[in-house]
Amino acid sequence: KPIYNVIAKMKGAERADQWIIRGNHRDAWVNGADDPLSGLVAMMEEARGLSILAKTGWRPKRTIIYAAWDGEEQGLLGSTEWAEHHAAELKEKAAVYINTDSNGRGFLGIGGSHTLEKFINEVGRNIQDPQTELTVWERTRAQQIVSGSPTERKELLARSDLPIYALGSGSDYTPFLQHLGIASLNIGFGGEDGGGSYHSIYDSFDHYSRFGDPGFAYGVALAKVCGHATLRLANADRLPFEFTNFAETIKRYADEVTKLTDTMREDTQTMNQMVASGMLKNVQDPTETFVVPKAKAHVPYLNFAPIQNALVLLNESAKNFQKVSNVKQISGQAQKTLDVILYKTERALTRNAGLPRRDWFRHQIYAPGFYTGYGVKTLPGVREAIEQRDWKEAGEQIDIAAKTIENFAAEIDKAARMF
Ligand SMILES: [Zn+2]
């Protein structure tokens, strides 16, 4: 059975070879009112808005592509085929991919590339929440702080931007972000929409309009957030990539994998002691069968220095770019060249050889876990090697991650030299 993507393209008036892509899937398991139509109708409303602008003679600076993907539920088929078919052109021209998929009443959820974190925070600060006097950004920040752990609360209060989450898989951003290295965002409201109808016959118009998003107020809010984001990206003098938030986030991932190794080392030691002393066996119910686990090999000390050193470079490069780009202006052809360098920074986070045992997944910072389905693993090569206790591979992956971060920092330096 053939599947059909629907692609609409509006050519940019000045930088036609820079593409802003906006997508949502159009296929559903059953009725699909929430998944995918609640996101799709918001996207179509954005497209309708652009068509009204176009009738007045307006054209975006960059090319805008709207895509309604087919075959998402069977495995991201439509978006993957399209991304693979146009891979060479996309690698050259695609600046950002914005995805939506399902939407409901509640708080703003944003996942994606942390080089776009500052940008999407700015967008959220300008959109009114349908139920309160607050902006969607203010209400979401309040929710994150209130529901956060004590540590998270402290971090959130000290930070000027909402943290965006890292993307694993489960929707059409995957071929763009993880296969081609195109900076991506995944955006949707939720948390007060009940849920429970996902992928079932109950995901009906009746259920959605009563419980998902009564009055479709959050459908309008989603169209505003994504419409603003798309238009700002399409028309910005300079593409709004920013690297200090990315540097801060990658540092956190590196600290996590270091801590993970330390925790595993201590836990392994304690468990081995409990096995050796017979303690573990002694607490089991003697009437039940219990097989005593074998002692595990000690967790070695890994050398994370290459990553830490690369992070120092990254931090310097990010700060330097922020400084020069804030005080100096450039124009014309140089601006166009700078844009290309900026959006290709995400490509520098990929590696053609891909991740171990799955070469299609090329992104070295974000990937769905090998064993976790949609669930994300950040610094996936390093993290999964540690989790699998493959210390040789962990060492190799640390070097690869460090090299990736160094290459990325070098691209930022290239951008900074344009000023
Ligand atoms: Zn979906």
Side-chain angles (χ1 to χ4, degrees), residues 25 35-36 72-73 101-102 171 199:
H25 72 98
D35 179 7
E72 190 265 2
E73 300 292 5
D101 180 355
S102 305
S171 196
H199 286 177

Side-chain angles (χ1 to χ4, degrees), residues 115-404:
T115 51
L116 294 169
E117 188 174 79
K118 264 200 192 307
F119 162 70
I120 200 64
N121 267 266
E122 279 173 24
V123 173
R125 284 188 183 97
N126 285 304
I127 309 294
Q128 174 80 37
D129 174 65
Q131 300 180 107
T132 64
E133 296 295 300
L134 305 171
T135 65
V136 293
W137 185 91
E138 287 170 322
R139 186 155 194 258
T140 301
R141 181 163 191 265
Q143 184 253 354
Q144 289 192 355
I145 292 168
V146 171
S147 66
S149 69
T151 326
E152 285 166 345
R153 282 179 183 168
K154 213 187 266 178
E155 282 169 10
L156 287 163
L157 285 164
R159 208 168 189 271
S160 56
D161 292 318
L162 279 177
I164 65 174
Y165 61 87
L167 290 175
S169 192
S171 196
D172 295 298
Y173 48 78
T174 278
F176 296 95
L177 178 65
Q178 286 137 0
H179 185 57
L180 296 179
I182 296 164
S184 299
L185 290 168
N186 186 49
I187 303 175
F189 288 91
E192 296 175 322
D193 48 359
S197 64
Y198 181 60
H199 286 177
S200 80
I201 198 168
Y202 299 103
D203 187 3
S204 62
F205 179 79
D206 181 61
H207 186 277
Y208 185 78
S209 52
R210 286 204 282 161
F211 306 109
D213 180 18
F216 307 121
Y218 280 91
V220 174
L222 184 66
K224 285 183 182 169
V225 172
C226 297
H228 277 230
T230 303
L231 277 177
R232 286 181 64 168
L233 288 166
N235 276 348
D237 287 333
R238 180 202 314 153
L239 284 170
F241 285 89
E242 196 282 336
F243 305 103
T244 60
N245 283 25
F246 177 83
E248 183 200 311
T249 306
I250 306 309
K251 166 101 176 62
R252 206 176 61 239
Y253 298 158
D255 290 345
E256 280 170 16
V257 292
T258 310
K259 200 171 159 211
L260 171 67
T261 318
D262 292 339
T263 312
M264 280 174 77
R265 186 178 307 109
E266 282 167 28
D267 289 352
T268 303
Q269 224 161 23
T270 320
M271 180 54 91
N272 285 350
Q273 272 168 14
M274 290 192 294
V275 170
S277 65
M279 218 183 270
L280 189 68
K281 179 136 187 14
N282 295 342
V283 299
Q284 306 305 319
D285 181 341
T287 67
E288 309 251 342
T289 310
F290 179 72
V291 180
V292 182
K294 286 199 177 68
K296 285 196 173 108
H298 289 297
V299 175
Y301 283 88
L302 297 176
N303 179 17
F304 287 100
I307 291 188
Q308 293 299 341
N309 289 325
L311 286 171
V312 173
L313 291 180
L314 172 62
N315 202 30
E316 280 171 9
S317 301
K319 288 217 165 103
N320 179 50
F321 177 79
Q322 193 179 44
K323 201 173 80 192
V324 295
S325 64
N326 274 343
V327 294
K328 292 187 198 163
Q329 293 294 328
I330 56 174
S331 56
Q333 184 60 36
Q335 186 61 67
K336 206 165 152 181
T337 310
L338 174 63
D339 276 347
V340 179
I341 298 171
L342 287 174
Y343 69 70
K344 282 192 177 172
T345 54
E346 194 81 18
R347 313 283 193 276
L349 297 173
T350 64
R351 205 171 160 256
N352 284 341
L355 292 171
R357 293 165 294 282
R358 42 179 183 152
D359 57 0
W360 190 87
F361 287 89
R362 293 178 183 159
H363 209 292
Q364 300 297 309
I365 307 294
Y366 318 112
F370 196 86
Y371 297 104
T372 55
Y374 294 165
V376 67
K377 295 283 176 183
T378 52
L379 291 175
V382 179
R383 195 183 294 266
E384 293 194 319
I386 293 169
E387 287 171 350
Q388 299 308 313
R389 295 172 180 265
D390 187 337
W391 311 118
K392 183 170 165 286
E393 186 170 296
E396 291 160 5
Q397 291 296 319
I398 286 172
D399 289 341
I400 289 171
K403 196 81 206 127
T404 304

Side-chain angles (χ1 to χ4, degrees), residues 1-30:
K1 183 180 162 214
I3 60 167
Y4 299 95
N5 293 327
V6 181
I7 311 287
K9 194 172 188 177
M10 190 181 282
K11 213 174 159 195
E14 289 174 34
R15 300 179 208 173
D17 283 345
Q18 300 182 2
W19 295 358
I20 309 300
I21 309 168
R22 169 79 180 90
N24 194 107
H25 72 98
R26 54 181 284 274
D27 62 301
W29 277 127
V30 197

